[in-house]
């Protein structure tokens, strides 16, 4: 079983959320269908919330990105 530190977990989570945010933003820009554009914009906004949550936890535990 892998033993992860809090710092490793939070950095990994942040990296994934940032990647997802970028992909959703890109998809939203490229979509011609307004419903799909709206959906991807919504997902990007959700990722922003996740990024903030992770960064807040990192600050709480004095972990740098």
């Amino acid at each position: 079983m892998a033993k992860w530190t809090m710092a490793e977990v939070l950095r990994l989570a942040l990296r994934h959320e940032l990647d997802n945010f970028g992909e959703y933003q890109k998809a939203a820009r490229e979509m011609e269908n307004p419903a799909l554009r709206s959906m991807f914009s919504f997902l990007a906004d959700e990722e922003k919330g996740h990024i903030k949550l992770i960064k807040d936890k990192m600050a709480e535990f004095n972990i740098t990105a």
Side-chain angles (χ1 to χ4, degrees), residues 34-47:
L36 291 176
R37 188 177 324 117
S38 177
M39 180 193 69
F40 281 114
S41 291
F42 169 81
L43 291 171
D45 285 342
E46 289 291 305
E47 295 304 305

Side-chain angles (χ1 to χ4, degrees), residues 4-22 24 46-58 61 63-65:
W4 294 62
T5 65
M6 180 68 72
E8 290 170 329
V9 170
L10 289 171
R11 287 183 186 123
L12 176 65
L14 181 60
R15 187 168 59 246
H16 284 289
E17 297 295 341
L18 289 168
D19 287 347
N20 291 341
F21 174 73
Y24 291 146
E46 289 291 305
E47 295 304 305
K48 276 197 271 188
H50 299 161
I51 291 165
K52 181 184 179 329
L53 176 67
I54 294 166
K55 286 183 174 183
D56 289 348
K57 280 293 170 194
M58 291 175 85
F61 290 100
I63 298 168
T64 58

